[in-house]
Amino acid sequence: MEFRLLGSVAVVTENGDFAPGPVKRCSLLAMLLLRPNTAVSVDQLTAALWEDEPPTHFKTVLQGHVSRLRALLADHGAREYGVELTTQGTAYELQMPESLVDAHRFEELVALSRVQRRPADTVRMLREALACWQGPALTGTVRSGPLEAAAGGLEDLRLASVEALAEAYGQLGEHGRAAAVLRTEAVAHPLRESLAAALMLALGRSGRQSDAINWYHRTRRLLADELGVDPGDALTEAYAVLLRAADPAPLPARTAAEPATGPAAGPAAGSATGTATGTAAGAAGGSPAGPAAGTAEAAGSTAGPAAGAVEDATPSAAGPVDGHTPGPGTAAAAATPTPAADAAPQPAFPPGPPSGPLSGPASAPPYVPQPVPQSVPAAGHLVPPHADPPVPQLLPRPPRGFTGRDPELAALGRAVTATDAPVCLITGAAGVGKTAFALHWAHQHGAAFPDGRLFADLRGFSDTPAPDAGTVLREFLLALGVAPQRVPETTAARGALFRTLTDGRRLLVVLDNARSSEQVRPLLPGGDHCVTLVTSRDRLGGLIASDAARPLPLAHLPAADAEALLASVLGEDRIAAEPEAAARLAGLCDGLPLALRVTAARLAQRPQWTLGAMAHELADEHGRLALLDVEDTGVSAALHLTVQQLPEPAARMFRAIGLHTGSDLDRFAASALAGTTPAQAGADLDRLAAAHLLTESVPGRWTPHDLVRLYARHLAPQADPEGLRRLLDHYLFTGLAADAAAEPGSQPCYALPADARRPAATREFDDRAAALAWYAAERPALEGAVAAAAALGLHDRAWRLALVQWPLMLWRITDGWTPLLEAGLASAEHEGDLDAQSRTRALLGWILHEEGRDPEALVHLEAAPELAARAGDAISEAIACVNLAAVLDSTGDSVRAGELMTRAVALADSTGHPATQVLALQHLAQYCLRTGAHEAALAHTLRATELVSPHAVVGRAQLRILRGEALAGLGRTAEAADEFRQATAASEAAGFTQGSERAARLLSLLAAKR
């Protein structure tokens, strides 16, 4: 368990991140985290939770939030991490290890960076520190004085750390990187003189002296226009250095924790320069930590657009490594003056190259829902009694740099209040910004949905197969607090439970990228108080007819909004300098946000280019841009201009991604595709993310938007033709490593082909959970790899890649594995590999049996033992006999089942392979229990226990349960009860829920019979 302050306030657990509840409860947690192990008084909490006068019964409300927060922490095992919310008289204290707070870790890393002797170590520390940031500090809390002052202090420390990082880059001679880091922040904070001075010197050292001098004049004009002051000493000295020296000397070093000086860092009360210091915790608690004026504005503003961002893309959950934001504890709380009304906003969390104002719907009315009557929780047996229902927050982060759409946002606000249970259908062409529009509205109105917000990418217009309704509903039910073992097996039952749980709740459901009305209908929530947003390239007339969906089409941006989007990336000055060229650019891009952003990204990265030159270059592609309404043609033209400007390693990586068989990838898969090391692949992926060709959808996994992926595949013929084969071999090697971690002691499910090439590095898995998580993340890519291998005639790879996921198949037995295994069987038959056919048929038959398709299952299972015998593989034959016997026994042929079980044990004993022996003995013991042969069953379990691996915790627990059943059948009830108790404890420790529940049930039955 960890806690996040540097971004949306959240509790981070092994099962995912979750917000503690409504805004005030988030604010309560934030106040306590800002001052861990310190009593925070009711008065201080009241000042933070209510911006104005608190309600009459505010103490009762506060006590309620404390109670709910305490229960929430207890439900997630907080005490195991040393976390406890205590009452101290008229105050509350969150007792905890401070290292669990991301802001504390950030400050520790910043402090460590100051004592490093080598600049490279300083860079490493500061990069790691800044990577702690996930967004503006204390996002999702009340906009009250104490919290905004705390957020401002954290923001100031972040900026100081960015400046220190740039200084360290400069000491390494990497002046271009220093300039890149500083430019991002200088654009976002144009009145911070220390940033401007450092950027000028970095530009000068990197050979861009004219740009450096231009930046000085730009800042000087801003200071005069906005504040009516002249440049301070730092800016003046930097300018003088640029004028008198070809190699500018560095400014005096400043530690990362020292606040900047000058108008942006000084008091708001009229002084042009000065500093304000204090702690973020002190500011939050009400102690005088420096002037608060302006701090809230700096910390609370929304980040501007990242150059080239794909507006229709799902935003990444994690930001860039460099240039991001600070934490509590001893953070300097420098106050920043509020800019004038016509000044550019100063985003607290700028995402990348030059960014600008966030254009919001000033005229759009807020969505104010009607009160929901209190209702009795439905399906209460699915969640722990007396526990608050979870508040799921599955939305990706807000889209950055959202521009325009005021009429459409207002129309959406009206649509969601026009009827009960509204379904709003957002439609438009590819790249028009449907996803960004829906997410922008959803984040704007988060407070209107106190029971949570769900999100699913339906991948309706994607090369990656769309998730079926059952898969989406399973994720929704888990987010709503249903225990995994309680999720129904059938899609219809899952849908019914979802509608029951959402009845009476005020919930937002966003269904993104839908292909058809049929894909959407099973996912609609129940009750009158839920709002559903659906985005699609199709009009989905069927959904309008059947569910009264209200269509909201998004057209291309009008000329004024298109030019505003360009200005949000490039800056107003650059647009004003070439108004006609800007208008021509907007026209050539036909107002398509994706084309506009990619074009603007290229211009932002090449400040020496004129808009007119760019318009001239785009005009050469006019024949293709005229077809913008036909899917992605114009986008390809714009992407071409971006990709050709990438460094060659990044461009090579982009082309290689076109060969990938899934929707997202990690650095190991990227390494195989591009033929490089994982470290270099990670750097290339970061570079592509900086160019907004990829997003880091979850930490360590990168995703291209649908249109970008299409363009990458268009370039795939130019990629290394061996890239796909390297990817297939990467999955073969990594799959064996995952198998070994998921099922210790088991026989590898295949031997590697003789010509398989070992990848540069293979991912390591710490435990079973890590291996299963990898299988789940890579499942679409592995399924695609099977098809790709077969298409290339590499059938020896195809059947292996189909089998390699067997641990996940057994864990999620009814998740629709049959088509994959049928494809694997076809490749095994094409190869004439008898052992591969036996293994595949044995697994396929078992899965068909679990799906209730016994006649089909027996076709495969009857053939599997003979195929293994002909191949001369006794282990495969033993496994095939076990699976066939189990299915025969379930269909009533117990005599033949017993014969096959006995044969399986003999075959396993002949191999001397313990895991296979244990498997056969375990199934034979189960057979004996069903036939009343308790003595024999006990003997088999005792022998299996001697053979089972000490690391096979689940297997040992299963054997204990069987041994307990055998002992109970023999009347040895005390020994049986002991076995069941030990099995329950072992299963719970291993997370084997099915085993713990079975052992506990048997123990209860045993006690009832005494």
Side-chain angles (χ1 to χ4, degrees):
M1 174 178 285
E2 296 177 348
F3 298 87
R4 182 191 304 135
L5 291 175
L6 308 183
S8 297
V9 174
V11 183
V12 181
T13 70
E14 294 177 352
N15 298 322
D17 303 356
F18 65 93
V23 173
K24 284 187 168 50
R25 201 171 307 151
C26 288
S27 304
L28 168 65
L29 178 61
M31 285 292 294
L32 295 170
L33 291 173
L34 285 167
R35 304 182 67 183
N37 305 308
T38 302
V40 185
S41 70
V42 169
D43 290 343
Q44 291 171 315
L45 293 173
T46 302
L49 268 61
W50 283 277
E51 311 95 299
D52 303 312
E53 278 295 313
T56 304
H57 304 292
F58 69 92
K59 289 186 178 180
T60 303
V61 175
L62 179 58
Q63 289 169 356
H65 282 300
V66 170
S67 177
R68 294 289 181 88
L69 182 58
R70 186 176 283 139
L72 186 69
L73 293 173
D75 288 345
H76 289 80
R79 286 197 176 184
E80 297 176 11
Y81 297 88
V83 179
E84 185 176 5
L85 177 51
T86 64
T87 303
Q88 307 290 339
T90 60
Y92 298 98
E93 180 177 341
L94 190 59
Q95 298 173 352
M96 62 183 299
E98 293 186 3
S99 60
L100 297 182
V101 184
D102 59 356
H104 177 82
R105 296 194 299 275
F106 166 75
E107 291 185 319
E108 278 195 336
L109 288 166
V110 171
L112 284 173
S113 73
R114 299 190 207 114
V115 298
Q116 300 303 312
R117 296 184 178 182
R118 298 172 61 247
D121 293 335
T122 302
V123 167
R124 189 176 302 110
M125 291 290 180
L126 289 172
R127 281 173 61 92
E128 186 177 351
L130 291 166
C132 293
W133 285 76
Q134 304 265 330
L138 309 184
T139 297
T141 59
V142 175
R143 294 179 63 87
S144 62
L147 286 170
E148 290 190 338
L154 300 174
E155 170 68 0
D156 194 74
L157 181 58
R158 180 187 74 84
L159 292 175
S161 302
V162 171
E163 291 170 356
L165 175 63
E167 182 179 326
Y169 275 139
Q171 292 171 3
L172 291 172
E174 297 181 18
H175 304 299
R177 296 191 72 175
V181 169
L182 291 165
R183 184 186 182 96
T184 298
E185 301 297 344
V187 169
H189 302 273
L191 299 177
R192 188 178 175 98
E193 291 190 54
S194 57
L195 275 173
L199 175 60
M200 289 161 53
L201 293 173
L203 289 169
R205 294 190 191 103
S206 58
R208 299 166 61 185
Q209 188 148 349
S210 62
D211 289 344
I213 292 174
N214 286 341
W215 199 271
Y216 168 80
H217 289 299
R218 177 181 183 274
T219 306
R220 178 182 56 78
R221 287 194 300 270
L222 277 172
L223 290 171
D225 294 344
E226 303 297 335
L227 302 178
V229 299
D230 293 326
D233 293 342
L235 200 63
T236 303
E237 182 178 347
Y239 182 53
V241 168
L242 287 170
L243 293 179
R244 69 173 176 258
D247 180 20
L251 287 176
R254 219 177 17 89
T255 65
E258 290 177 7
T261 60
S271 173
T273 62
T275 61
T277 61
T279 66
S287 60
T295 305
E297 287 295 324
S301 59
T302 306
V310 178
E311 187 160 324
D312 225 4
T314 299
S316 169
V321 173
D322 291 334
H324 288 255
T325 342
T330 58
T336 306
T338 304
D342 58 346
Q346 301 180 17
F349 188 55
S355 59
L358 175 73
S359 176
S363 60
Y367 168 52
V368 181
Q370 297 301 313
V372 179
Q374 184 66 32
S375 60
V376 177
H381 65 285
L382 298 174
V383 296
H386 310 301
D388 290 340
V391 180
Q393 300 292 349
L394 301 189
L395 290 183
R397 72 183 182 192
R400 293 173 174 170
F402 186 88
T403 301
R405 302 292 189 198
D406 291 7
E408 293 92 339
L409 287 166
L412 180 56
R414 292 190 296 271
V416 299
T417 57
T419 183
D420 291 336
V423 178
C424 299
L425 179 58
I426 303 164
T427 61
V432 81
K434 301 178 293 295
T435 302
F437 177 85
L439 289 177
H440 179 75
W441 188 91
H443 280 284
Q444 269 196 330
H445 298 86
F449 303 100
D451 296 321
R453 294 172 291 179
L454 300 175
F455 177 92
D457 180 4
L458 302 183
R459 299 200 294 268
F461 295 88
S462 169
D463 290 343
T464 303
D468 58 65
T471 299
V472 177
L473 286 168
R474 182 177 189 274
E475 297 304 315
F476 281 179
L477 291 174
L478 293 176
L480 289 168
V482 178
Q485 67 272 17
R486 299 294 190 188
V487 175
E489 291 294 336
T490 67
T491 299
R494 291 177 183 181
L497 178 57
F498 174 64
R499 290 188 292 275
T500 300
L501 289 175
T502 53
D503 188 11
R505 295 195 187 191
R506 201 154 61 223
L507 195 74
L508 174 67
V509 180
V510 181
L511 303 174
D512 187 40
N513 199 11
R515 180 182 64 255
S516 65
S517 301
E518 292 77 10
Q519 192 182 24
V520 171
R521 289 190 187 102
L523 308 177
L524 296 177
D528 295 336
H529 306 289
C530 295
V531 173
T532 305
L533 304 185
V534 181
T535 74
S536 179
R537 297 181 194 176
D538 194 278
R539 294 179 181 177
L540 302 191
L543 197 66
I544 299 172
S546 65
D547 292 272
R550 298 177 69 90
L552 182 65
L554 293 186
H556 292 188
L557 291 175
D561 285 345
E563 293 178 44
L565 193 155
L566 289 173
S568 72
V569 179
L570 301 173
E572 296 285 352
D573 290 349
R574 201 165 175 189
I575 300 300
E578 298 181 74
E580 294 181 2
R584 191 179 179 211
L585 271 179
L588 288 170
C589 291
D590 202 18
L592 191 68
L594 176 58
L596 288 162
R597 289 189 177 280
V598 176
T599 301
R602 186 165 183 263
L603 281 166
Q605 293 171 351
R606 295 290 184 272
Q608 69 275 18
W609 276 42
T610 65
L611 272 62
M614 182 59 145
H616 177 75
E617 189 163 353
L618 278 178
D620 291 340
E621 304 287 342
H622 186 270
R624 300 176 70 189
L625 290 171
L627 301 175
L628 277 173
D629 287 335
V630 181
E631 200 61 20
D632 60 308
T633 307
V635 173
S636 297
L639 285 171
H640 169 72
L641 300 177
T642 297
V643 172
Q644 72 180 10
Q645 298 299 325
L646 291 171
E648 180 51 31
R652 183 169 60 249
M653 176 62 72
F654 184 77
R655 294 190 293 270
I657 288 174
L659 300 169
H660 189 45
T661 57
S663 59
D664 62 350
L665 76 169
D666 62 12
R667 61 191 182 97
F668 292 94
S671 164
L673 284 166
T676 185
T677 65
Q680 180 60 49
D684 293 339
L685 292 169
D686 282 338
R687 182 64 186 82
L688 293 176
H692 301 281
L693 294 169
L694 300 178
T695 57
E696 195 173 2
S697 50
V698 297
R701 297 196 69 85
W702 285 264
T703 307
H705 184 264
D706 291 348
L707 300 176
V708 177
R709 185 184 298 111
L710 287 175
Y711 184 69
R713 290 184 177 173
H714 171 72
L715 298 182
Q718 304 172 30
D720 182 355
E722 291 297 305
L724 181 54
R725 187 164 185 147
R726 284 195 301 267
L727 178 71
L728 300 178
D729 288 350
H730 153 73
Y731 281 134
L732 290 178
F733 277 90
T734 308
L736 287 181
D739 280 1
E743 299 293 338
S746 64
Q747 184 198 32
C749 61
Y750 53 76
L752 289 164
D755 59 344
R757 288 173 290 188
R758 181 176 293 278
T762 302
R763 176 186 286 277
E764 297 178 354
F765 301 95
D766 294 332
D767 52 28
R768 174 186 178 87
L772 290 175
W774 180 82
Y775 281 127
E778 294 288 354
R779 179 178 175 179
L782 286 167
E783 292 178 352
V786 172
L792 289 174
L794 299 174
H795 294 282
D796 59 339
R797 267 78 171 167
W799 72 259
R800 288 174 167 88
L801 292 170
L803 276 183
V804 76
Q805 301 176 73
W806 71 270
L808 186 65
M809 293 180 189
L810 296 182
W811 197 254
R812 300 181 180 178
I813 195 74
T814 59
D815 267 13
W817 299 100
T818 300
L820 174 66
L821 288 173
E822 288 175 341
L825 178 59
S827 286
E829 291 175 335
H830 187 280
E831 286 288 291
D833 190 321
L834 299 179
D835 186 48
Q837 293 174 47
S838 172
R839 290 170 183 264
T840 308
R841 286 184 183 275
L843 182 55
L844 176 57
W846 184 257
I847 287 176
L848 288 168
H849 164 65
E850 290 289 340
E851 292 178 351
R853 300 159 63 180
D854 284 344
E856 298 170 74
L858 287 170
V859 170
H860 294 288
L861 292 172
E862 292 281 8
E866 181 183 351
L867 288 166
R870 289 168 57 194
D873 192 318
I875 290 179
S876 293
E877 187 179 356
I879 293 171
C881 286
V882 166
N883 288 4
L884 175 57
V887 175
L888 287 172
D889 192 30
S890 72
T891 59
D893 193 351
S894 58
V895 175
R896 190 175 170 214
E899 295 171 351
L900 284 166
M901 291 288 186
T902 304
R903 173 167 174 73
V905 172
L907 285 165
D909 287 343
S910 72
T911 68
H913 186 255
T916 307
Q917 291 173 279
V918 170
L919 176 69
L921 287 166
Q922 179 181 333
H923 280 271
L924 181 55
Q926 289 174 326
Y927 172 79
C928 290
L929 287 173
R930 285 192 294 272
T931 58
H934 297 103
E935 286 283 5
L938 180 60
H940 295 320
T941 60
L942 289 172
R943 183 171 173 232
T945 301
E946 296 173 355
L947 294 168
V948 70
S949 166
H951 304 294
V953 181
V954 172
R956 297 182 76 86
Q958 290 173 322
L959 288 172
R960 279 196 179 278
I961 295 172
L962 292 175
R963 191 156 60 250
E965 291 182 275
L967 289 166
L970 294 170
R972 296 159 62 178
T973 55
E975 295 172 79
D978 184 59
E979 293 290 346
F980 290 145
R981 279 191 288 269
Q982 293 190 58
T984 300
S987 297
E988 289 176 349
F992 180 34
T993 307
Q994 183 181 1
S996 63
E997 290 180 347
R998 176 172 172 75
R1001 184 172 64 254
L1002 290 170
L1003 181 61
S1004 176
L1005 291 172
L1006 188 64
K1009 292 178 180 178
R1010 288 183 179 180

